[in-house]
């Protein structure tokens, strides 16, 4: 039996304590009043003018100036020409559209425009600035100008208030998703009667123990969100569904049958119940099966089939409810798959890293280089799969360039261009180059490097999915984000190794155990293994 | 030295063949060739054959394909005649890059796959109308044949091969 070492336990608890303290600090540093937020904005604006000089004087009355400096829209003449062009086509489209619409629809359209402007933090308005000759832009702009400054400060204030919440939320979804996908992968191995992975079953089970812990935190988060203690989901705001309110949003109102608070809470709780229930039951039966009972084996098989079915449904809906709901005006059909891919490749990487750690400490005597090779192949393959879905989603929207879809990526290119493009290198290029070689797929340090790239990359991926809708241009990677990550990392270490110490590291009663112990991928050489099975 | 004499030892089971190969290698005899009706896992290791480098060539061919596709899309769509087609930005290659990715991908795969297959044909000397080099037609059906060159040690080799479970041993002149 594995012994959860005191050192590791201290590390886990230490990480959690540091994480909690940091999170508390980040909550305290959040501006409390509108005035605080205005001061911060003024500071940001001052530094903007300091660094860019008087190159574009018009920026002084561009109240969204602070949103500009991260993405350098004025980098070169060439780029300006391009954005001019874009503004032209967009305005033109808008005019044509408006002509053909009835008055009523026009009003609704205008409402949408205003909100898009808002959610893009002045994206549309900024385009109008670039091209002063366009009617549509000017009308729109003047209509806005009066209360623009106050509106913007308020908007930025809400975003700043969202920051510590979003920091927790990104890490929460990241670790919840990884634990869940390890569970799904484990169930898939059971259902497929996989012969190679049986010696890794207890590692996977141990990782899924974390599902219970993060689900509890998620439950609290759901309750807190439903009590309006944070404003991560714009559709939960007051008056969104009320035609008499100035917050009224006809588009969200049209989605009311799905996007309503009771429905959201019930669905969320249902997902958590399903996942945790199946995880608890399968783990329990798996430990019982150490006695070699084949009826239990069949039972776990049947339960796993049902789990995978429910998992596929709940995972898709979870990604709509918990992630896509942050941008309630935007929708994408393959979003559920895309989230699945991001979490699945992270889950496989985590399985591989935990396995490598436990093997290096001598707790997994039957895990040989072929098992590691297989895990690395999965990491490689699903990195490509993630890239495929990421690109499919991006390219389809980029190509058709329909305004209601493109705003999603326009915002990401404008404010998040470094993480958004950088994650392609982390999630695709580096893992591909590191893991394409068959020999490298058994070398621990190569896999660890590739694994760190993959995990950081997919954290960034979730970051870029969630942050633009909640904090917009006010994002940063500071104490709040790091602390939340450290807290959940500590929790993960604690949950995983605690659970691994509670059961035999080998699933003794499994009928495929022997096959797994002698597993050998014939092309590779096993290095430094002295167990009798080879 | 009359080295054009070889021994052909025939087996009817791949496990027996593998043991025989190990035994002959253990006695430090050179095995010229082994003919089998299907791939025998581990035979190349037992024979001590160097690993293939086909995968490396495929990787290089793939990069070649990517480069050619990059050049092709850049030259035709950006450099030679940059038209405005449906509002797609054709000011620079990078701006319009997403539209080129399907081509980049397909040409990479196309070059990697086809050139690797052709390399395989060339390296293993296979082409249409090539005369078959099969020493015994049974090796394409259910027999395994090990070919060992003779260097004035015919009796000793025959005796050794008889202990390995060969179903037939014959000495032939190879031309």
């Amino acid at each position: 039996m594995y012994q959860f070492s005191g050192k590791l336990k201290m590390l886990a608890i230490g990480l959690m304590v540091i994480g909690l303290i940091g999170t508390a600090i980040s909550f305290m540093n959040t501006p409390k009043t509108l005035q605080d937020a205005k001061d911060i904005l003024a500071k940001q604006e001052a530094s903007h003018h300091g660094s860019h000089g008087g190159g574009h004087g018009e920026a002084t009355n561009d109240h969204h100036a602070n949103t500009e400096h991260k993405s350098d829209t004025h980098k070169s003449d060439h780029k300006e020409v391009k954005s001019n062009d874009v503004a032209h086509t967009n305005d033109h489209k808008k005019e044509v559209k408006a002509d053909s619409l009835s008055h009523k629809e026009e009003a609704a359209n205008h409402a949408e425009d205003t909100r898009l402007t808002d959610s893009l933090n002045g994206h549309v308005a900024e385009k109008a600035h670039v091209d002063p000759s366009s009617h549509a832009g000017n009308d729109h702009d003047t209509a806005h100008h009066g209360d623009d400054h106050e509106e913007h400060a308020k908007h930025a204030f809400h975003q700043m208030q969202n920051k510590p919440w979003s920091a927790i939320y990104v890490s929460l979804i990241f670790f919840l998703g990884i634990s869940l996908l390890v569970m799904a992968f484990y169930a898939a191995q059971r259902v497929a009667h996989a012969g190679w992975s049986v010696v890794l079953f207890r590692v996977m089970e141990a990782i899924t123990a974390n599902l219970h812990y993060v689900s509890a935190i998620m439950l609290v988060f759901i309750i807190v969100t439903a009590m309006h203690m944070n404003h991560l989901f714009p559709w939960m705001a007051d008056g969104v569904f009320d035609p008499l309110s100035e917050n009224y949003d006809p588009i969200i109102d049209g989605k009311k049958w799905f996007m309503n608070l009771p429905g959201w809470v019930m669905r969320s709780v249902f997902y958590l119940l399903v996942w945790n229930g199946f995880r608890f039951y399968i783990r329990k039966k798996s430990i019982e099966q150490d006695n070699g009972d084949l009826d239990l084996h069949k039972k776990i098989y049947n339960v796993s089939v049902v789990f995978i079915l429910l998992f596929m449904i709940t995972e898709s809906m979870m990604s709509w409810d918990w992630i896509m709901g942050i941008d309630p005006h935007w929708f994408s059909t393959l979003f559920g798959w895309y989230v699945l891919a991001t979490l699945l490749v992270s889950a496989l990487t985590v399985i591989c890293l935990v396995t490598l750690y436990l093997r290096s400490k001598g707790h997994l005597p039957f895990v040989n280089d072929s098992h590691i090779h297989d895990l690395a192949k999965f990491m490689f393959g699903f990195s490509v799969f993630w890239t495929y879905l990421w690109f499919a989603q991006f390219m389809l929207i980029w190509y058709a360039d329909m305004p209601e879809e493109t705003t999603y990526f326009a915002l990401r290119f404008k404010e998040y261009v470094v993480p958004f493009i950088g994650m392609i290198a982390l999630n695709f290029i580096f893992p591909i180059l590191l893991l394409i070689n068959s020999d490298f797929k058994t070398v621990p340090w190569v896999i660890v490097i590739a694994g760190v790239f993959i995990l950081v990359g997919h954290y960034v991926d979730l970051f870029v999915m969630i942050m633009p809708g909640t904090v917009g241009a006010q994002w940063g990677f500071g104490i709040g984000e790091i602390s939340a990550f450290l807290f959940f990392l500590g929790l993960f270490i604690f949950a995983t190794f605690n659970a691994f110490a509670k059961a035999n590291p080998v699933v003794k009663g499994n009928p495929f155990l022997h096959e797994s112990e002698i597993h050998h991928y014939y092309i590779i050489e096993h290095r430094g293994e002295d167990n009798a099975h080879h | 030295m009359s080295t054009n004499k070889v021994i052909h030892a025939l087996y009817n089971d791949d496990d027996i063949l593998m043991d025989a190969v190990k035994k002959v290698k253990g006695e430090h005899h050179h095995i010229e060739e082994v003919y089998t009706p299907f791939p025998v896992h581990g035979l190349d290791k037992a024979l001590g054959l160097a690993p293939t480098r086909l995968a490396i060539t495929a990787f290089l061919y793939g990069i070649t394909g990517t480069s050619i596709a990059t050049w092709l899309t850049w030259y035709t769509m950006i450099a030679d005649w940059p038209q405005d087609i449906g509002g797609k930005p054709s000011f620079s290659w990078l701006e319009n890059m997403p539209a080129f990715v399907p081509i980049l991908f397909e040409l990479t795969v196309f070059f990697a796959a086809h050139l690797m297959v052709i390399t395989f044909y060339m390296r293993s000397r296979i082409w249409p109308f090539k005369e078959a080099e099969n020493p015994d037609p049974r090796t394409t059906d259910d027999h395994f044949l090990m070919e060992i060159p003779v260097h004035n040690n015919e009796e000793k080799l025959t005796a050794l091969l008889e202990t390995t479970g060969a179903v037939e041993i014959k000495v032939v002149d190879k031309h």
Side-chain angles (χ1 to χ4, degrees):
Chain A
M1 292 282 265
Y2 168 74
Q3 189 87 38
F4 190 10
S5 72
K7 252 193 207 159
L8 205 57
K9 202 178 271 181
M10 280 312 294
L11 174 74
I13 293 169
L15 285 173
M16 281 191 272
V17 170
I18 294 170
L20 280 178
I21 294 171
T23 303
I25 291 173
S26 83
F27 269 101
M28 284 190 295
N29 284 344
T30 306
K32 297 281 173 307
T33 63
L34 194 56
Q35 197 49 49
D36 293 347
K38 278 180 184 165
D39 292 346
I40 295 172
L41 283 178
K43 232 183 263 169
Q44 283 175 355
E45 209 147 331
S47 70
H48 171 66
H49 287 294
S51 60
H52 285 252
H56 33 99
E58 82 277 1
T60 29
N61 55 9
D62 179 358
H63 301 298
H64 304 289
N66 76 300
T67 62
E68 273 180 22
H69 35 154
K70 266 170 205 149
S71 73
D72 29 10
T73 40
H74 300 274
K75 204 173 181 180
S76 67
D77 291 349
H78 183 65
K79 267 209 173 148
E80 245 169 319
V81 169
K82 181 186 117 200
S83 58
N84 249 327
D85 208 50
V86 173
H88 267 306
T89 32
N90 270 4
D91 290 340
H92 185 63
K93 265 185 207 157
K94 248 179 252 156
E95 273 169 3
V96 172
K97 212 174 170 188
D99 281 349
S100 64
L101 287 171
S102 74
H103 272 298
K104 211 173 171 188
E105 277 168 317
E106 207 174 317
N109 225 31
H110 182 69
E112 150 121 44
D113 251 17
T114 321
R115 252 179 334 279
L116 275 183
T117 312
D118 208 34
S119 73
L120 279 174
N121 216 355
H123 182 70
V124 177
E126 191 243 21
K127 272 185 186 166
H129 274 298
V130 174
D131 185 8
S133 65
S134 93
H135 297 294
N138 265 358
D139 285 356
H140 183 73
D141 205 33
T142 41
H144 241 253
H145 239 283
D147 51 351
D148 215 15
H149 193 83
E150 191 66 21
E151 275 293 303
H152 175 60
K154 230 183 200 170
H155 189 59
F157 174 49
H158 286 309
Q159 292 183 331
M160 287 174 197
Q161 280 190 317
N162 270 343
K163 249 193 97 176
W165 289 101
S166 308
I168 298 172
Y169 194 54
V170 172
S171 289
L172 177 61
I173 295 282
F174 186 62
F175 280 91
L176 175 63
I178 285 176
S179 311
L180 175 65
L181 263 294
V182 171
M183 183 64 207
F185 182 72
Y186 169 75
Q189 296 295 304
R190 288 269 188 188
V191 171
H193 289 313
W196 69 277
S197 57
V198 176
V199 293
L200 302 170
F201 274 7
R202 280 289 141 81
V203 178
M204 297 186 211
E205 283 173 15
I207 297 170
T208 59
N210 192 36
L211 187 61
H212 294 326
Y213 297 81
V214 275
S215 292
I217 297 173
M218 187 66 200
L219 190 65
V220 175
F221 198 89
I222 290 164
I223 295 166
V224 164
T225 306
M227 286 165 68
H228 300 291
M229 286 173 72
N230 61 53
H231 305 96
L232 295 189
F233 295 90
W235 60 267
M236 288 181 190
D238 284 331
V240 168
F241 302 116
D242 178 7
L244 299 176
S245 162
E246 62 174 22
N247 271 342
Y248 179 62
D249 188 326
I251 294 179
I252 297 178
D253 197 28
K255 303 180 178 184
K256 198 177 164 185
W257 63 273
F258 190 81
M259 277 186 173
N260 56 76
L261 207 49
W264 183 82
V265 172
M266 283 192 294
R267 282 194 306 271
S268 300
V269 173
F270 174 73
Y271 310 147
L272 295 178
L273 279 179
V274 167
W275 302 336
N276 283 280
F278 275 92
R279 190 272 163 190
F280 180 78
Y281 184 80
I282 292 175
R283 161 77 166 180
K284 204 175 135 204
K285 293 292 157 190
S286 170
I287 290 175
E288 272 178 42
Q289 206 213 326
D290 275 359
N291 63 15
D293 186 348
L294 285 181
D295 282 341
L296 273 175
H297 190 70
K298 256 188 117 175
K299 201 170 197 170
I300 298 172
Y301 169 84
N302 291 332
V303 174
S304 298
V305 171
V306 180
F307 172 74
I308 286 182
L309 192 75
L310 283 171
F311 162 79
M312 289 313 293
I313 298 167
T314 51
E315 193 277 336
S316 292
M317 296 182 68
M318 168 274 267
S319 68
W320 308 335
D321 272 329
W322 293 352
I323 302 176
M324 205 152 76
I326 288 171
D327 301 283
H329 285 188
W330 181 79
F331 46 86
S332 164
T333 39
L334 60 70
F335 196 73
W337 278 107
Y338 170 56
V339 174
L340 177 98
T342 232
L343 297 176
L344 180 53
V345 63
S346 312
L348 289 160
T349 306
V350 166
I351 296 173
C352 193
L353 295 185
V354 173
T355 305
L356 278 177
Y357 170 78
L358 286 170
R359 188 177 75 147
S360 73
K361 297 281 171 196
H363 300 299
L364 295 169
F366 293 118
V367 173
N368 60 42
D369 281 353
S370 287
H371 298 107
I372 303 297
H373 195 273
D374 282 359
L375 284 171
K377 269 185 283 192
F378 269 115
M379 287 161 62
F380 175 87
F382 279 102
S383 286
V384 180
F385 181 65
W386 173 87
T387 315
Y388 166 60
L389 292 181
W390 177 86
F391 185 71
Q393 178 169 283
F394 169 72
M395 199 260 253
L396 287 181
I397 290 174
W398 174 86
Y399 216 113
D401 200 19
M402 288 153 66
E404 70 266 33
E405 290 177 350
T406 303
T407 49
Y408 185 81
F409 288 113
L411 174 59
R412 277 153 183 79
F413 266 100
K414 195 167 144 57
E415 303 292 349
Y416 291 76
V417 70
V418 171
F420 188 68
I421 300 300
M423 75 179 173
I424 313 300
L426 288 166
N427 291 343
F428 177 59
I429 297 169
F430 295 155
I432 290 295
L433 293 180
L434 281 168
L435 294 177
I436 197 165
N437 186 312
S438 195
D439 294 335
F440 284 2
K441 287 204 256 298
T442 61
V443 181
W445 64 267
V446 176
I447 301 173
V448 169
I449 291 175
V452 170
F453 281 144
I454 290 174
L455 288 178
V456 171
H458 288 280
Y459 174 85
V460 172
D461 188 18
L462 272 180
F463 190 88
V464 176
M465 278 189 228
I466 291 169
M467 287 294 182
T470 57
V471 303
Q474 301 298 326
W475 72 281
F477 191 77
I479 293 180
E481 286 77 10
I482 294 167
S483 305
F485 188 86
L486 291 183
F487 172 78
F488 283 105
L489 181 66
L491 189 65
F492 172 85
I493 293 171
F494 182 81
T496 301
F497 295 99
N498 194 35
F500 192 70
K502 286 202 171 128
N504 193 313
V506 178
V507 278
K508 278 185 296 185
N510 195 300
F512 297 108
L513 180 60
H514 181 67
E515 184 182 336
S516 184
E517 281 174 1
I518 60 167
H519 175 56
H520 191 162
Y521 180 57
Y522 70 101
I523 284 183
I524 61 165
E525 298 283 355
H526 288 187
R527 277 163 297 110
E529 285 160 2
D530 49 10
N531 77 57
H533 289 271
H534 299 286
Chain B
M1 243 167 57
S2 63
T3 51
N4 49 2
K5 250 185 169 186
V6 291
I7 288 190
H8 282 170
L10 279 127
Y11 300 85
N12 57 8
D13 186 281
D14 51 340
D15 281 338
I16 299 171
L17 172 79
M18 281 292 280
D19 290 339
V21 165
K22 282 172 192 161
K23 197 163 181 180
V24 172
K25 289 295 278 186
E27 300 282 332
H28 301 295
H29 292 293
H30 172 67
I31 299 174
E32 183 68 32
E33 195 68 81
V34 176
Y35 296 87
T36 66
F38 53 78
V40 178
H41 279 216
L43 185 60
D44 53 340
K45 288 252 166 66
L47 283 168
L49 298 181
T52 174
R53 288 168 295 182
L54 262 186
I56 297 167
T57 66
F59 184 76
L60 298 175
Y61 296 148
I63 292 173
T64 311
T66 320
S67 312
I68 288 175
T70 308
W71 176 82
L72 184 74
T73 49
W74 169 78
Y75 180 71
T76 57
M77 301 301 288
I78 309 296
D80 191 34
W81 197 345
Q83 297 182 90
D84 181 344
I85 305 169
K88 281 277 160 292
S90 50
F91 303 106
S92 75
W93 185 80
L94 210 58
E95 266 177 0
N96 209 0
M97 204 272 273
F100 302 144
V101 166
I103 298 154
L104 295 179
F105 173 76
E106 294 295 348
L107 278 188
T108 305
V109 175
F110 179 87
F111 272 74
H114 288 83
L115 291 181
M116 178 178 75
V117 168
I118 292 168
T119 309
F120 167 72
Y121 286 157
M122 286 164 64
R123 290 292 292 155
S124 44
R125 296 165 204 282
I126 304 175
W127 54 84
F129 312 113
K130 181 199 160 97
E131 206 181 319
E133 294 168 355
N134 197 354
D136 191 318
R138 285 173 295 172
T139 59
T140 62
D141 182 16
D142 62 345
H143 277 67
F144 305 81
L145 189 149
M146 180 161 46
E147 184 179 291
I148 303 166
V150 179
H151 304 277
N152 304 321
N153 52 358
E154 198 180 314
E155 289 80 24
K156 209 178 136 206
L157 262 178
T158 314
L160 172 68
L161 288 170
E162 265 162 6
T163 64
T164 59
V167 290
E168 195 179 314
I169 296 168
K170 52 187 179 183
V171 181
V172 289
D173 281 323
K174 213 182 178 190
H175 303 293

